[in-house]
Amino acid sequence: MAYAGDAPKESFRLSMLIYDTRFRSITIQVIVLILFALFVSWILNNTVQNLAAKDRGFSYDFLWNRAGYDISQRLIDYTNDDTHARALLVGLLNTLLLAFFGCIFATIIGVFAGVLRLSNNWLVARIMTVYVEVFRNVPVLLWILLAYVVLSETMPEPKDFKVTEAMIAAGEQPKAHMFFGSIALTNRGTNIPEPLFDRSLGNIDLGIFLVSIDLLAIIAVLVASFVAWRRLNRHAHVVQDATGVRPVTWWKSLLIWVLPIVALLWALGFHLGYPTFKGFNFTGGINVAHAFTSLLIALSFYTGAFIAEIVRAGIMAIPKGQTEAAYALGLRPGRTTSLVILPQALRVIIPPLISQYLNLTKNTSLAIAVSYMDLRGTLGGVTLNQTGKELECMLLMMLIYLTISLIISGVMNIYNNAVKLKER
Amino acid sequence: MTDSSDRSIAFARETMLPAREPPVSQRGIVRWMRENLFSSPMNTILTLLGLGLIFLTIRAALPWFINGVWNANSLAECRAIIAERAGPDASGACWAMIRERWHQFTFGFYPPDQYWRPILAFGLLFAAIAPVLFAGQKRNLMVVIAGVAAFLLVTLYLASTPLLAFVFAAALVIVLAVLSQTQPGKLMWFTVLYPALTFYLLWGGSIWEPVTAMFGFVIIAVTYRLLVERIGVAVSSAIGVVLAMLWWLFIDAHVADALASALPLALPKVNSDQFGGFLLAVTIGVTAIACSLPMGILLALGRRSDMLLIKTLSVGFIEFIRGVPLITLLFTASLLLQYFLPPNTNFDLILRVIILVTLFAAAYIAEVIRGGLAALPRGQYEAADSLGLDYWRAQRLIIMPQALKIAIPGIVSTFIGLFKDTTLVAFVGLLDPLKGVTQIVRADINWKGIYWEPYIFVGVIFFVICFGMSRYSMSLERRLKRDHR
């Protein structure tokens, strides 16, 4: 007699590895693990064989050899006697410089275009639509090349800026003029004024590169101003909560922001060094290569078009009821925007904005198109070609890009977590 | 009563007065302008600024376009003609460059007497994707196939196609047209066969190579059909793949050789370094788009999987690919694969680039689809489970159709980005239309110093293709919208 309770004792059968859901996932994972291990070992084995066939090892020693090539645009001291590692650092800083300014300009352009695209002015909305569609649907490489070619082919030569005694006597004007007497666009680059300090505090040697104490002092003062400004606002909040009247703060904030920095700049003897024409070219000021300018223009307008769409979507995602509710509470339009609309819209805008910043940073590698010496131009370009260490250079470069990306997305995710909706 | 009312009311209107026209400021174009252009001082300023911008643009660009020259042999000749026609200071476009070099922008260095092959492949591309885009809509299918027929008729005639190829194309189009009206479902078979056909048309060589390669897929399909009832989806497809791999690795080449010697049917071979221009961009773009979608779906599912190992591998792959620029991956294709593959393997650069671009796009697609999966309410998964569907059925019938619908805008914008990124292959020595061909043109002594025209030409073509894709995705979104909001 069989009872319901006497379920037949299940013995383990091999087919259960596939058909029993308790074991199947383990089976699949084991198979995948084996395949993955085989794949990795296959690649490693091939690499070892190939390296052996070419009679070379795998080492990063070449980084400490003399680089032997020049980099015209650099943020830190570098000569061709320095090591490949230092060239790498110069390239990395150039990449970061481009990405930094690109993100700032792209954000400004994008916010501007996105808001104007929603404007009730028909004409302006249409113009912005055309801008966004044209820039989004054409490869960024085209914008980079076009900007570079136009800058270097249509701009006047430096000698066109020359003013000779004879020309003054004859009352002639030079062929080209500087903008505001301080910015000269030539076919070799853009000359802009440089900040100079009469009573400079000198530099600190960090071992790898020098850091200007003036710059550190300016940053320190700005940070101090920011902290003071925050405290002022917090104090105003406290007073408002206690009494219902918000103290007037605008002139205090203005003082806090302006006074210290002006005092510091005066103390350091700050003035601008203008580029001037001497001999055959400009001296003084900073010469910005067209490679940098064209990359900056192209990347910021291209990414700006994407950011414009993100901003527009973010603003449109806020229901109209929110604005109406704010009006019903008696808030003025400006405060409605800053207290009700923006905080909510930002929550929608920030995540895609982060990925646009990442895209821009990765797109800086297109600098290769105009020979701007960024990370890819130094480590992945000249160093790679000179040493022939393709494997080492490419892996190191990927690692660096990956690190930059992860850092940016990490920082932005922290911010994102701070502003995201606090739910139960 | 009536008397008194007659006395007190001198006049009573019995009909309504016709409505008077609104004042001038409240109707017609004036009202529209008041509302849309000059509603506030700020708006007025913006409008004036906008008008100024448009005016400046037109003033600079319009004479340049109007003075454009189509018939010339060099830039200097262009300038001479413009100076003669419109005065010495006039500027003008030199479209003659495009007239002379359009074939390089389109085909690169593809042999001119073989132009009919890429043209045929390109025309049939639309016939191949029509069944996917317009599934079951007979009218749209007919429109597309008629368009393909017209396009092929004109362009193949212009490209002086050999008669045999012309007849083949005509027969194929007629068969497709008949199929689309009688059995639209069968058109999918053409879509399946299209890759092999295109490969053969573009690269040429023996016809048996693509045929035997396709036979590998037939092996997978047959194995799957035979075994799926007995041992389930995963195992039967795994066995199919293993068998096909064996076929491809060990048998394929011998069979192809044998067939080729028995029945030599071959087109002249075209090497990959002869590819260029938009032919190259479209080849890479379309292949990578077609391959990255299924791969992206698998990666997205892997990332959401319960199995730790599969999840980790998917996340690692996706984050790695998304963290590095495409250029580094392209350099991997051109420089590093020689280290990672067995010694003395060397295969086509275009193929290597396509593989890397596909991997790149797949990681982005995976993230977009993951967004779609996350947006799907949990109840949908539970409903699928409660119906007793297994994992793959649930994904295929319930989850994916909805998740993909949500993800359409993201998927299409990834595709657009991918197509634009095909220009980057210039950096590994391929001849893309933007940098590769333009550089060749600008290096020519006749066209030295030309810069607006090639970039405008290439830019307009890219714009038309990408803008078309984004408009199609919008219409698709509207068509698939099922909620009534």
Side-chain angles (χ1 to χ4, degrees), chain B residues 10-40:
Chain B
F11 172 74
R13 178 173 294 285
E14 285 167 345
T15 52
M16 285 286 278
L17 273 178
R20 265 198 290 170
E21 267 197 46
V24 176
S25 64
Q26 289 302 318
R27 67 184 139 103
I29 186 145
V30 178
R31 176 181 176 188
W32 182 86
M33 280 172 62
R34 272 172 68 115
E35 276 179 5
N36 288 306
L37 296 180
F38 304 103
S39 58
S40 66

PDB file of all heavy atoms in Angstrom, chain B residues 10-40:
ATOM      1  N   ALA B  10     -39.439 101.173 -27.849  1.00  0.00           N
ATOM      2  CA  ALA B  10     -39.575 101.790 -29.160  1.00  0.00           C
ATOM      3  C   ALA B  10     -39.088 100.867 -30.263  1.00  0.00           C
ATOM      4  O   ALA B  10     -39.574 100.881 -31.362  1.00  0.00           O
ATOM      5  CB  ALA B  10     -38.789 103.099 -29.193  1.00  0.00           C
ATOM      6  N   PHE B  11     -38.100 100.048 -29.888  1.00  0.00           N
ATOM      7  CA  PHE B  11     -37.495  99.225 -30.940  1.00  0.00           C
ATOM      8  C   PHE B  11     -37.036  97.902 -30.348  1.00  0.00           C
ATOM      9  O   PHE B  11     -36.420  97.886 -29.285  1.00  0.00           O
ATOM     10  CB  PHE B  11     -36.285  99.985 -31.510  1.00  0.00           C
ATOM     11  CG  PHE B  11     -35.469  99.168 -32.452  1.00  0.00           C
ATOM     12  CD1 PHE B  11     -35.933  98.904 -33.729  1.00  0.00           C
ATOM     13  CD2 PHE B  11     -34.240  98.653 -32.058  1.00  0.00           C
ATOM     14  CE1 PHE B  11     -35.183  98.161 -34.588  1.00  0.00           C
ATOM     15  CE2 PHE B  11     -33.493  97.900 -32.922  1.00  0.00           C
ATOM     16  CZ  PHE B  11     -33.960  97.661 -34.198  1.00  0.00           C
ATOM     17  N   ALA B  12     -37.392  96.841 -30.970  1.00  0.00           N
ATOM     18  CA  ALA B  12     -36.905  95.536 -30.500  1.00  0.00           C
ATOM     19  C   ALA B  12     -36.252  94.803 -31.671  1.00  0.00           C
ATOM     20  O   ALA B  12     -36.862  94.624 -32.716  1.00  0.00           O
ATOM     21  CB  ALA B  12     -38.068  94.722 -29.941  1.00  0.00           C
ATOM     22  N   ARG B  13     -35.020  94.407 -31.465  1.00  0.00           N
ATOM     23  CA  ARG B  13     -34.342  93.691 -32.546  1.00  0.00           C
ATOM     24  C   ARG B  13     -34.751  92.242 -32.525  1.00  0.00           C
ATOM     25  O   ARG B  13     -34.806  91.600 -31.484  1.00  0.00           O
ATOM     26  CB  ARG B  13     -32.826  93.809 -32.357  1.00  0.00           C
ATOM     27  CG  ARG B  13     -32.038  93.061 -33.413  1.00  0.00           C
ATOM     28  CD  ARG B  13     -30.569  93.343 -33.302  1.00  0.00           C
ATOM     29  NE  ARG B  13     -30.255  94.725 -33.614  1.00  0.00           N
ATOM     30  CZ  ARG B  13     -30.239  95.204 -34.844  1.00  0.00           C
ATOM     31  NH1 ARG B  13     -30.515  94.424 -35.858  1.00  0.00           N
ATOM     32  NH2 ARG B  13     -29.954  96.467 -35.059  1.00  0.00           N
ATOM     33  N   GLU B  14     -35.100  91.751 -33.665  1.00  0.00           N
ATOM     34  CA  GLU B  14     -35.532  90.349 -33.722  1.00  0.00           C
ATOM     35  C   GLU B  14     -34.431  89.424 -34.231  1.00  0.00           C
ATOM     36  O   GLU B  14     -34.459  88.233 -33.977  1.00  0.00           O
ATOM     37  CB  GLU B  14     -36.758  90.249 -34.638  1.00  0.00           C
ATOM     38  CG  GLU B  14     -37.998  90.774 -33.964  1.00  0.00           C
ATOM     39  CD  GLU B  14     -39.133  90.986 -34.936  1.00  0.00           C
ATOM     40  OE1 GLU B  14     -38.882  90.992 -36.153  1.00  0.00           O
ATOM     41  OE2 GLU B  14     -40.260  91.159 -34.455  1.00  0.00           O
ATOM     42  N   THR B  15     -33.483  89.949 -34.957  1.00  0.00           N
ATOM     43  CA  THR B  15     -32.389  89.094 -35.433  1.00  0.00           C
ATOM     44  C   THR B  15     -31.081  89.532 -34.779  1.00  0.00           C
ATOM     45  O   THR B  15     -30.922  90.688 -34.404  1.00  0.00           O
ATOM     46  CB  THR B  15     -32.208  89.222 -36.961  1.00  0.00           C
ATOM     47  OG1 THR B  15     -32.092  90.610 -37.252  1.00  0.00           O
ATOM     48  CG2 THR B  15     -33.372  88.619 -37.695  1.00  0.00           C
ATOM     49  N   MET B  16     -30.177  88.568 -34.670  1.00  0.00           N
ATOM     50  CA  MET B  16     -28.854  88.864 -34.087  1.00  0.00           C
ATOM     51  C   MET B  16     -28.046  89.709 -35.069  1.00  0.00           C
ATOM     52  O   MET B  16     -28.123  89.488 -36.274  1.00  0.00           O
ATOM     53  CB  MET B  16     -28.085  87.567 -33.817  1.00  0.00           C
ATOM     54  CG  MET B  16     -28.571  86.794 -32.630  1.00  0.00           C
ATOM     55  SD  MET B  16     -28.070  87.575 -31.116  1.00  0.00           S
ATOM     56  CE  MET B  16     -26.403  86.965 -30.971  1.00  0.00           C
ATOM     57  N   LEU B  17     -27.299  90.625 -34.514  1.00  0.00           N
ATOM     58  CA  LEU B  17     -26.358  91.343 -35.368  1.00  0.00           C
ATOM     59  C   LEU B  17     -25.261  90.372 -35.817  1.00  0.00           C
ATOM     60  O   LEU B  17     -24.851  89.519 -35.043  1.00  0.00           O
ATOM     61  CB  LEU B  17     -25.666  92.459 -34.575  1.00  0.00           C
ATOM     62  CG  LEU B  17     -26.358  93.802 -34.520  1.00  0.00           C
ATOM     63  CD1 LEU B  17     -25.535  94.712 -33.645  1.00  0.00           C
ATOM     64  CD2 LEU B  17     -26.493  94.394 -35.905  1.00  0.00           C
ATOM     65  N   PRO B  18     -24.812  90.464 -37.059  1.00  0.00           N
ATOM     66  CA  PRO B  18     -23.657  89.617 -37.425  1.00  0.00           C
ATOM     67  C   PRO B  18     -22.439  90.036 -36.607  1.00  0.00           C
ATOM     68  O   PRO B  18     -22.282  91.221 -36.304  1.00  0.00           O
ATOM     69  CB  PRO B  18     -23.455  89.933 -38.916  1.00  0.00           C
ATOM     70  CG  PRO B  18     -24.122  91.253 -39.139  1.00  0.00           C
ATOM     71  CD  PRO B  18     -25.233  91.346 -38.140  1.00  0.00           C
ATOM     72  N   ALA B  19     -21.655  89.042 -36.244  1.00  0.00           N
ATOM     73  CA  ALA B  19     -20.462  89.337 -35.428  1.00  0.00           C
ATOM     74  C   ALA B  19     -19.545  90.261 -36.201  1.00  0.00           C
ATOM     75  O   ALA B  19     -19.310  90.057 -37.396  1.00  0.00           O
ATOM     76  CB  ALA B  19     -19.750  88.042 -35.088  1.00  0.00           C
ATOM     77  N   ARG B  20     -19.051  91.284 -35.489  1.00  0.00           N
ATOM     78  CA  ARG B  20     -18.108  92.163 -36.177  1.00  0.00           C
ATOM     79  C   ARG B  20     -16.750  91.512 -36.235  1.00  0.00           C
ATOM     80  O   ARG B  20     -16.398  90.700 -35.378  1.00  0.00           O
ATOM     81  CB  ARG B  20     -18.028  93.494 -35.424  1.00  0.00           C
ATOM     82  CG  ARG B  20     -18.965  94.525 -36.022  1.00  0.00           C
ATOM     83  CD  ARG B  20     -18.584  95.913 -35.576  1.00  0.00           C
ATOM     84  NE  ARG B  20     -18.876  96.110 -34.165  1.00  0.00           N
ATOM     85  CZ  ARG B  20     -18.463  97.185 -33.488  1.00  0.00           C
ATOM     86  NH1 ARG B  20     -17.738  98.102 -34.084  1.00  0.00           N
ATOM     87  NH2 ARG B  20     -18.759  97.333 -32.214  1.00  0.00           N
ATOM     88  N   GLU B  21     -15.988  91.891 -37.224  1.00  0.00           N
ATOM     89  CA  GLU B  21     -14.634  91.352 -37.297  1.00  0.00           C
ATOM     90  C   GLU B  21     -13.829  91.821 -36.103  1.00  0.00           C
ATOM     91  O   GLU B  21     -14.009  92.958 -35.655  1.00  0.00           O
ATOM     92  CB  GLU B  21     -13.956  91.849 -38.576  1.00  0.00           C
ATOM     93  CG  GLU B  21     -14.122  90.898 -39.718  1.00  0.00           C
ATOM     94  CD  GLU B  21     -13.124  91.191 -40.808  1.00  0.00           C
ATOM     95  OE1 GLU B  21     -11.950  91.385 -40.481  1.00  0.00           O
ATOM     96  OE2 GLU B  21     -13.534  91.231 -41.968  1.00  0.00           O
ATOM     97  N   PRO B  22     -12.970  90.978 -35.568  1.00  0.00           N
ATOM     98  CA  PRO B  22     -12.118  91.454 -34.481  1.00  0.00           C
ATOM     99  C   PRO B  22     -11.236  92.597 -34.967  1.00  0.00           C
ATOM    100  O   PRO B  22     -10.999  92.731 -36.167  1.00  0.00           O
ATOM    101  CB  PRO B  22     -11.292  90.230 -34.105  1.00  0.00           C
ATOM    102  CG  PRO B  22     -11.514  89.242 -35.159  1.00  0.00           C
ATOM    103  CD  PRO B  22     -12.736  89.589 -35.888  1.00  0.00           C
ATOM    104  N   PRO B  23     -10.764  93.443 -34.035  1.00  0.00           N
ATOM    105  CA  PRO B  23      -9.892  94.538 -34.463  1.00  0.00           C
ATOM    106  C   PRO B  23      -8.634  93.991 -35.145  1.00  0.00           C
ATOM    107  O   PRO B  23      -8.248  92.842 -34.936  1.00  0.00           O
ATOM    108  CB  PRO B  23      -9.550  95.262 -33.164  1.00  0.00           C
ATOM    109  CG  PRO B  23      -9.958  94.365 -32.078  1.00  0.00           C
ATOM    110  CD  PRO B  23     -11.020  93.474 -32.609  1.00  0.00           C
ATOM    111  N   VAL B  24      -8.029  94.861 -35.915  1.00  0.00           N
ATOM    112  CA  VAL B  24      -6.891  94.426 -36.733  1.00  0.00           C
ATOM    113  C   VAL B  24      -5.821  93.745 -35.890  1.00  0.00           C
ATOM    114  O   VAL B  24      -5.230  92.740 -36.285  1.00  0.00           O
ATOM    115  CB  VAL B  24      -6.279  95.646 -37.463  1.00  0.00           C
ATOM    116  CG1 VAL B  24      -5.042  95.231 -38.229  1.00  0.00           C
ATOM    117  CG2 VAL B  24      -7.297  96.255 -38.397  1.00  0.00           C
ATOM    118  N   SER B  25      -5.611  94.289 -34.683  1.00  0.00           N
ATOM    119  CA  SER B  25      -4.521  93.748 -33.863  1.00  0.00           C
ATOM    120  C   SER B  25      -4.866  92.372 -33.322  1.00  0.00           C
ATOM    121  O   SER B  25      -4.023  91.710 -32.727  1.00  0.00           O
ATOM    122  CB  SER B  25      -4.229  94.697 -32.715  1.00  0.00           C
ATOM    123  OG  SER B  25      -5.366  94.768 -31.873  1.00  0.00           O
ATOM    124  N   GLN B  26      -6.109  91.917 -33.468  1.00  0.00           N
ATOM    125  CA  GLN B  26      -6.488  90.634 -32.871  1.00  0.00           C
ATOM    126  C   GLN B  26      -6.793  89.576 -33.903  1.00  0.00           C
ATOM    127  O   GLN B  26      -7.429  88.571 -33.599  1.00  0.00           O
ATOM    128  CB  GLN B  26      -7.722  90.839 -31.976  1.00  0.00           C
ATOM    129  CG  GLN B  26      -7.443  91.607 -30.710  1.00  0.00           C
ATOM    130  CD  GLN B  26      -6.378  90.941 -29.878  1.00  0.00           C
ATOM    131  OE1 GLN B  26      -6.345  89.739 -29.725  1.00  0.00           O
ATOM    132  NE2 GLN B  26      -5.455  91.739 -29.336  1.00  0.00           N
ATOM    133  N   ARG B  27      -6.446  89.781 -35.123  1.00  0.00           N
ATOM    134  CA  ARG B  27      -6.744  88.733 -36.100  1.00  0.00           C
ATOM    135  C   ARG B  27      -5.590  88.572 -37.085  1.00  0.00           C
ATOM    136  O   ARG B  27      -4.740  89.458 -37.209  1.00  0.00           O
ATOM    137  CB  ARG B  27      -8.033  89.033 -36.840  1.00  0.00           C
ATOM    138  CG  ARG B  27      -7.974  90.251 -37.752  1.00  0.00           C
ATOM    139  CD  ARG B  27      -9.335  90.502 -38.362  1.00  0.00           C
ATOM    140  NE  ARG B  27      -9.654  91.923 -38.391  1.00  0.00           N
ATOM    141  CZ  ARG B  27      -9.581  92.655 -39.509  1.00  0.00           C
ATOM    142  NH1 ARG B  27      -9.235  92.114 -40.637  1.00  0.00           N
ATOM    143  NH2 ARG B  27      -9.874  93.941 -39.484  1.00  0.00           N
ATOM    144  N   GLY B  28      -5.662  87.463 -37.747  1.00  0.00           N
ATOM    145  CA  GLY B  28      -4.745  87.221 -38.850  1.00  0.00           C
ATOM    146  C   GLY B  28      -3.289  87.230 -38.425  1.00  0.00           C
ATOM    147  O   GLY B  28      -2.936  86.884 -37.296  1.00  0.00           O
ATOM    148  N   ILE B  29      -2.486  87.648 -39.348  1.00  0.00           N
ATOM    149  CA  ILE B  29      -1.046  87.566 -39.147  1.00  0.00           C
ATOM    150  C   ILE B  29      -0.575  88.521 -38.063  1.00  0.00           C
ATOM    151  O   ILE B  29       0.376  88.247 -37.330  1.00  0.00           O
ATOM    152  CB  ILE B  29      -0.321  87.822 -40.478  1.00  0.00           C
ATOM    153  CG1 ILE B  29       1.173  87.600 -40.303  1.00  0.00           C
ATOM    154  CG2 ILE B  29      -0.549  89.224 -40.985  1.00  0.00           C
ATOM    155  CD1 ILE B  29       1.814  87.032 -41.496  1.00  0.00           C
ATOM    156  N   VAL B  30      -1.288  89.646 -37.933  1.00  0.00           N
ATOM    157  CA  VAL B  30      -0.876  90.618 -36.910  1.00  0.00           C
ATOM    158  C   VAL B  30      -1.014  90.008 -35.526  1.00  0.00           C
ATOM    159  O   VAL B  30      -0.115  90.092 -34.687  1.00  0.00           O
ATOM    160  CB  VAL B  30      -1.720  91.902 -37.024  1.00  0.00           C
ATOM    161  CG1 VAL B  30      -1.315  92.878 -35.942  1.00  0.00           C
ATOM    162  CG2 VAL B  30      -1.559  92.505 -38.394  1.00  0.00           C
ATOM    163  N   ARG B  31      -2.150  89.349 -35.304  1.00  0.00           N
ATOM    164  CA  ARG B  31      -2.349  88.721 -34.009  1.00  0.00           C
ATOM    165  C   ARG B  31      -1.295  87.634 -33.770  1.00  0.00           C
ATOM    166  O   ARG B  31      -0.717  87.522 -32.691  1.00  0.00           O
ATOM    167  CB  ARG B  31      -3.740  88.107 -33.960  1.00  0.00           C
ATOM    168  CG  ARG B  31      -3.962  87.369 -32.692  1.00  0.00           C
ATOM    169  CD  ARG B  31      -5.309  86.746 -32.633  1.00  0.00           C
ATOM    170  NE  ARG B  31      -5.403  85.976 -31.395  1.00  0.00           N
ATOM    171  CZ  ARG B  31      -6.419  85.193 -31.124  1.00  0.00           C
ATOM    172  NH1 ARG B  31      -7.421  85.097 -31.973  1.00  0.00           N
ATOM    173  NH2 ARG B  31      -6.422  84.516 -30.013  1.00  0.00           N
ATOM    174  N   TRP B  32      -1.077  86.854 -34.815  1.00  0.00           N
ATOM    175  CA  TRP B  32      -0.089  85.779 -34.679  1.00  0.00           C
ATOM    176  C   TRP B  32       1.276  86.352 -34.311  1.00  0.00           C
ATOM    177  O   TRP B  32       1.964  85.853 -33.433  1.00  0.00           O
ATOM    178  CB  TRP B  32      -0.011  85.019 -36.010  1.00  0.00           C
ATOM    179  CG  TRP B  32       0.929  83.868 -35.956  1.00  0.00           C
ATOM    180  CD1 TRP B  32       0.651  82.605 -35.534  1.00  0.00           C
ATOM    181  CD2 TRP B  32       2.319  83.877 -36.285  1.00  0.00           C
ATOM    182  NE1 TRP B  32       1.769  81.827 -35.586  1.00  0.00           N
ATOM    183  CE2 TRP B  32       2.812  82.587 -36.043  1.00  0.00           C
ATOM    184  CE3 TRP B  32       3.193  84.848 -36.761  1.00  0.00           C
ATOM    185  CZ2 TRP B  32       4.127  82.233 -36.266  1.00  0.00           C
ATOM    186  CZ3 TRP B  32       4.513  84.516 -36.981  1.00  0.00           C
ATOM    187  CH2 TRP B  32       4.968  83.207 -36.729  1.00  0.00           C
ATOM    188  N   MET B  33       1.634  87.464 -34.995  1.00  0.00           N
ATOM    189  CA  MET B  33       2.936  88.055 -34.702  1.00  0.00           C
ATOM    190  C   MET B  33       2.974  88.636 -33.299  1.00  0.00           C
ATOM    191  O   MET B  33       3.971  88.514 -32.583  1.00  0.00           O
ATOM    192  CB  MET B  33       3.272  89.136 -35.739  1.00  0.00           C
ATOM    193  CG  MET B  33       3.807  88.513 -37.024  1.00  0.00           C
ATOM    194  SD  MET B  33       4.023  89.653 -38.367  1.00  0.00           S
ATOM    195  CE  MET B  33       5.221  90.763 -37.725  1.00  0.00           C
ATOM    196  N   ARG B  34       1.856  89.260 -32.893  1.00  0.00           N
ATOM    197  CA  ARG B  34       1.823  89.820 -31.537  1.00  0.00           C
ATOM    198  C   ARG B  34       1.979  88.718 -30.496  1.00  0.00           C
ATOM    199  O   ARG B  34       2.636  88.889 -29.479  1.00  0.00           O
ATOM    200  CB  ARG B  34       0.497  90.545 -31.301  1.00  0.00           C
ATOM    201  CG  ARG B  34       0.505  91.993 -31.716  1.00  0.00           C
ATOM    202  CD  ARG B  34      -0.886  92.558 -31.628  1.00  0.00           C
ATOM    203  NE  ARG B  34      -1.315  92.633 -30.236  1.00  0.00           N
ATOM    204  CZ  ARG B  34      -1.560  93.774 -29.608  1.00  0.00           C
ATOM    205  NH1 ARG B  34      -1.408  94.912 -30.239  1.00  0.00           N
ATOM    206  NH2 ARG B  34      -1.966  93.779 -28.355  1.00  0.00           N
ATOM    207  N   GLU B  35       1.376  87.601 -30.779  1.00  0.00           N
ATOM    208  CA  GLU B  35       1.428  86.525 -29.777  1.00  0.00           C
ATOM    209  C   GLU B  35       2.743  85.765 -29.821  1.00  0.00           C
ATOM    210  O   GLU B  35       3.268  85.345 -28.787  1.00  0.00           O
ATOM    211  CB  GLU B  35       0.279  85.538 -30.011  1.00  0.00           C
ATOM    212  CG  GLU B  35      -0.994  86.002 -29.361  1.00  0.00           C
ATOM    213  CD  GLU B  35      -2.128  85.050 -29.622  1.00  0.00           C
ATOM    214  OE1 GLU B  35      -1.898  83.990 -30.235  1.00  0.00           O
ATOM    215  OE2 GLU B  35      -3.249  85.381 -29.211  1.00  0.00           O
ATOM    216  N   ASN B  36       3.249  85.557 -31.016  1.00  0.00           N
ATOM    217  CA  ASN B  36       4.386  84.652 -31.133  1.00  0.00           C
ATOM    218  C   ASN B  36       5.736  85.341 -31.283  1.00  0.00           C
ATOM    219  O   ASN B  36       6.762  84.715 -31.115  1.00  0.00           O
ATOM    220  CB  ASN B  36       4.185  83.714 -32.322  1.00  0.00           C
ATOM    221  CG  ASN B  36       3.111  82.701 -32.046  1.00  0.00           C
ATOM    222  OD1 ASN B  36       3.170  82.001 -31.052  1.00  0.00           O
ATOM    223  ND2 ASN B  36       2.100  82.671 -32.885  1.00  0.00           N
ATOM    224  N   LEU B  37       5.731  86.590 -31.635  1.00  0.00           N
ATOM    225  CA  LEU B  37       7.010  87.248 -31.851  1.00  0.00           C
ATOM    226  C   LEU B  37       7.242  88.447 -30.938  1.00  0.00           C
ATOM    227  O   LEU B  37       8.358  88.708 -30.533  1.00  0.00           O
ATOM    228  CB  LEU B  37       7.132  87.698 -33.314  1.00  0.00           C
ATOM    229  CG  LEU B  37       7.148  86.585 -34.357  1.00  0.00           C
ATOM    230  CD1 LEU B  37       7.265  87.177 -35.740  1.00  0.00           C
ATOM    231  CD2 LEU B  37       8.285  85.626 -34.109  1.00  0.00           C
ATOM    232  N   PHE B  38       6.165  89.195 -30.629  1.00  0.00           N
ATOM    233  CA  PHE B  38       6.387  90.446 -29.905  1.00  0.00           C
ATOM    234  C   PHE B  38       5.541  90.520 -28.637  1.00  0.00           C
ATOM    235  O   PHE B  38       4.991  91.561 -28.299  1.00  0.00           O
ATOM    236  CB  PHE B  38       6.069  91.641 -30.817  1.00  0.00           C
ATOM    237  CG  PHE B  38       6.847  91.632 -32.098  1.00  0.00           C
ATOM    238  CD1 PHE B  38       6.255  91.247 -33.293  1.00  0.00           C
ATOM    239  CD2 PHE B  38       8.183  91.988 -32.115  1.00  0.00           C
ATOM    240  CE1 PHE B  38       6.978  91.213 -34.466  1.00  0.00           C
ATOM    241  CE2 PHE B  38       8.910  91.961 -33.294  1.00  0.00           C
ATOM    242  CZ  PHE B  38       8.308  91.572 -34.470  1.00  0.00           C
ATOM    243  N   SER B  39       5.403  89.396 -27.929  1.00  0.00           N
ATOM    244  CA  SER B  39       4.469  89.400 -26.799  1.00  0.00           C
ATOM    245  C   SER B  39       5.013  90.181 -25.608  1.00  0.00           C
ATOM    246  O   SER B  39       4.249  90.605 -24.757  1.00  0.00           O
ATOM    247  CB  SER B  39       4.140  87.962 -26.393  1.00  0.00           C
ATOM    248  OG  SER B  39       5.318  87.298 -26.059  1.00  0.00           O
ATOM    249  N   SER B  40       6.312  90.370 -25.516  1.00  0.00           N
ATOM    250  CA  SER B  40       6.853  91.130 -24.395  1.00  0.00           C
ATOM    251  C   SER B  40       8.125  91.823 -24.883  1.00  0.00           C
ATOM    252  O   SER B  40       8.652  91.466 -25.930  1.00  0.00           O
ATOM    253  CB  SER B  40       7.169  90.200 -23.232  1.00  0.00           C
ATOM    254  OG  SER B  40       8.217  89.339 -23.595  1.00  0.00           O
TER     255      SER B  40
END
